[in-house]
Structures are given as C-alpha cells and as structure tokens.
Amino acid sequence: MQTGPTLTVRAVRTDDAPQICELLNTIDTIEIGAPETDLHTVEADLTHPEVELAHDSWLAFDEDRLVAYALVWSDSGGERVDMDHYVLPDHQAAGERLLDLAEERCRRIAGDQGATRAVVHLHLNRRPTIDTTLLRRRGWHTVRRYQVMLRDLTPHQEPLPEPPAGVTLRACTDEADRRRAHALVEETFAEHFDHQPRTYEQWLDDIDAARLDWSLVWIAAVEGTGDAAVLLSRNDRAGMGWVRNLGVLKAVRGRGLGGHLLRHAFGVYAALGRDRLGLGVDTLNESGALRLYEAHGMRLHYAVDTWEVTLPVTAAG
C-alpha cells in the first residue's frame, strides 16, 4: 500500500522482528534514555496465537526506513481491544496513517465479538514519541498511569530472607504448581484495572511459557490457609530481571507475604549476577502495591499512561 511520495505501508511478517526491535529500541532511547526491548519479546508478540499478522499488524516505511509500527489484539471476547503503536517523532503522518488502519481493525474485531463498540487501550510512555495532540483530536484520553520501578541489586551479595512464621515458599517446577500459579494470578488480579480472565492455556501463551524459567516462579503457602501468594518473574531480559506478577490473596494481605516474596526475588536475582530487578505497578492499585515497592527500595524508572478511545463497531461483511 503506497500512501504518499515515499511512504509505504504493509502487514508485518515474522522475519520483520529484528527491524521492529531496532525501531522500538530507537524509541526507547528517545523516551527513557536507553534501549530496553529484547528481540524475543517482539517475536513473542508476532507469533501469539490470538494475532493474525495479515489483518492485525502494520509497518510504515519512508523509502527503506521503518518509521512506524502498530499491532492490535483482543483477549476480552467482547468490546475491549488492545493496541501497540510506535512512531519516530519526525514521522507523525505515518503514525496517523497506522492509527487509521488500527482503529478500523479494532472496530471490526469488537463487532465480530458481538460488541456494539470497541473500547481500545494503548500504553504509551508519559512523554511519548507520538504527538499526543493527535491522539486527543481523535478522541483518545488517559485513564490510568503505571510506573516501571527498579531496585538496584548488589550481585552475589543480597541475602535470602527468612520467611515469616508459618510461611513456606516453593518453586513451580511441576505442572500442578504451574496450574496453581495461574489460579493464584487469576484470583489475586481479578479486581485489578483492565484484568482479562485467561484460561491456563491462554496464560501460557501470554507469558511466553516456552522461554520461562519456572524455578523463578514461587508460591507462598501459609500454615492453616494454604497457597496464598504468587510471584512470577523472568530472567530473559537483557537489561534486568523482571517481576511480571506479584499477587497476594485478599484474606491474608498485611502479613508480609508480598514483601517476603519481593525480598526473596532480590536475593535470587542477585545470586544470578543481576544488578537490577524491575516491575510495573498501577499507581491506583488499591492493594497498596506502590507503597510496598517503595518501602523495599524500588525507585521510579519511567511512567506509562494508558490511553483509551471508544469507537463504534464496523459491521461484518
């Protein structure tokens, strides 16, 4: 598809992953000062079973240079649709062209899922490369803010904490524990903003389970209560270890389980030679997660806003 004198738009192919990763790292460097996107993360997005690249993805090239990328998907089965959108700051027209295409696809996805509207979410750095006046003109607005937090570690010198009385940890090294970890994630995140329920099989796809080191996923059990908390982390990012989920059952919050799991992760990742551990947190999380992380020495790395737009559906046909 030719859209201007030098601008070409086409669907993504799986072998585009390295070029997309380069674009995202260029944008990372502009927004946060350093590249932090790993190739395998891009590859996982492009090969997710709920994404049809021919319909759900777009690349914009200025001659041979990749200048914008967009991807849409839905895991809600209804009106909620998600979008990724990246554009170099000096190519806003290309970014808007991909927004046109992505929004139209979001309408179609929601309509095909039986919804009367598409409620689309897009996560962007607080100071993104896209011109946010363009988004606001199209009806987008911010609805949530997340913080990416970091804890600096001293490699090989962070002690493992003693567990609270009556608490034991175990790694998810067998199938039964992996299913239990999934159940705990679903229960502890059920009331979180924008959480979409996922089956065990869908969850495995979401977390790119084939690359996950399950010895770095821990369940905390409480005497007399049973399994009560879970921490899912991964060690396949170049820049840092990463905590994807930390959840504690509501009935046992306030007993130090979250803090213990976090300190355990600090010790394990330091023993692996890591010097940073990161995670993302909803600043309006009612469980007090942000306060927990700050109390354990985690600091703000950068902030991400969730942008939302509501679109009428496009009828099938």
Side-chain angles (χ1 to χ4, degrees):
M1 178 188 300
Q2 194 78 27
T3 64
T6 61
L7 186 67
T8 303
V9 175
R10 67 165 171 84
V12 177
R13 302 185 296 258
T14 54
D15 62 1
D16 291 317
Q19 199 169 7
I20 295 170
C21 187
E22 182 179 357
L23 172 68
L24 270 53
N25 276 318
T26 298
I27 292 172
D28 284 348
T29 302
I30 295 168
E31 293 180 343
I32 63 175
E36 289 192 357
T37 301
D38 294 299
L39 178 59
H40 68 81
T41 302
V42 177
E43 292 172 337
D45 288 343
L46 300 187
T47 58
H48 195 285
E50 293 176 2
V51 170
E52 298 180 60
L53 289 181
H55 305 291
D56 300 333
S57 67
W58 303 268
L59 298 177
F61 294 88
D62 183 354
E63 297 184 345
D64 294 330
R65 183 189 184 198
L66 179 61
V67 298
Y69 159 64
L71 184 75
V72 299
W73 70 96
S74 177
D75 53 19
S76 71
E79 66 180 22
R80 273 283 295 108
V81 187
D82 286 283
M83 182 190 300
D84 279 345
H85 184 282
Y86 302 89
V87 63
L88 295 178
D90 55 346
H91 285 80
Q92 297 300 314
E96 185 160 23
R97 178 61 185 139
L98 295 199
L99 274 176
D100 289 338
L101 295 166
E103 287 180 7
E104 179 59 30
R105 178 58 178 160
C106 290
R107 292 185 180 97
R108 179 58 59 87
I109 290 172
D112 289 347
Q113 293 178 160
T116 59
R117 63 179 189 171
V119 179
V120 188
H121 282 183
L122 169 64
H123 302 293
L124 294 173
N125 185 279
R126 186 168 63 93
R127 296 186 178 90
T129 54
I130 190 172
D131 182 356
T132 56
T133 60
L134 165 66
L135 291 174
R136 295 190 186 280
R137 189 170 70 241
R138 299 173 69 99
W140 291 82
H141 60 284
T142 58
V143 294
R144 211 74 168 189
R145 174 160 291 182
Y146 292 81
Q147 291 187 179
V148 173
M149 311 285 289
L150 290 181
R151 165 67 146 75
D152 294 320
L153 305 174
T154 304
H156 311 293
Q157 295 185 39
E158 301 273 348
L160 289 175
E162 289 294 325
V167 174
T168 57
L169 294 189
R170 68 181 188 277
C172 295
T173 54
D174 61 34
E175 179 72 8
D177 278 337
R178 295 173 190 181
R179 289 183 176 274
R180 185 63 186 133
H182 164 253
L184 284 165
V185 168
E186 285 296 310
E187 185 171 355
T188 58
F189 282 82
E191 297 179 359
H192 284 212
F193 175 75
D194 219 14
H195 175 73
Q196 304 295 331
R198 305 293 277 161
T199 67
Y200 178 64
E201 290 73 21
Q202 290 171 327
W203 180 70
L204 292 178
D205 288 329
D206 293 346
I207 63 175
D208 193 12
R211 293 186 58 90
L212 189 67
D213 181 349
W214 288 96
S215 71
L216 300 175
V217 182
W218 303 289
I219 291 173
V222 178
E223 186 177 356
T225 300
D227 296 338
V230 61
L231 188 150
L232 189 156
S233 70
R234 54 190 319 132
N235 195 30
D236 55 359
R237 292 192 176 198
M240 68 192 75
W242 185 256
V243 175
R244 177 186 171 97
N245 297 109
L246 173 54
V248 180
L249 294 179
K250 186 179 295 187
V252 293
R253 288 175 188 164
R255 301 187 188 181
L257 291 180
H260 175 63
L261 279 166
L262 197 59
R263 292 190 301 275
H264 184 79
F266 295 158
V268 169
Y269 276 86
L272 292 170
R274 285 291 198 171
D275 60 4
R276 297 194 304 173
L277 187 67
L279 52 77
V281 58
D282 178 357
T283 59
L284 298 180
N285 186 319
E286 294 180 356
S287 71
L290 178 58
R291 294 191 300 275
L292 171 70
Y293 302 143
E294 290 174 336
H296 284 80
M298 304 200 78
R299 57 180 171 84
L300 174 66
H301 184 29
Y302 60 88
V304 174
D305 287 327
T306 300
W307 290 75
E308 178 180 286
V309 70
T310 299
L311 306 169
V313 303
T314 299

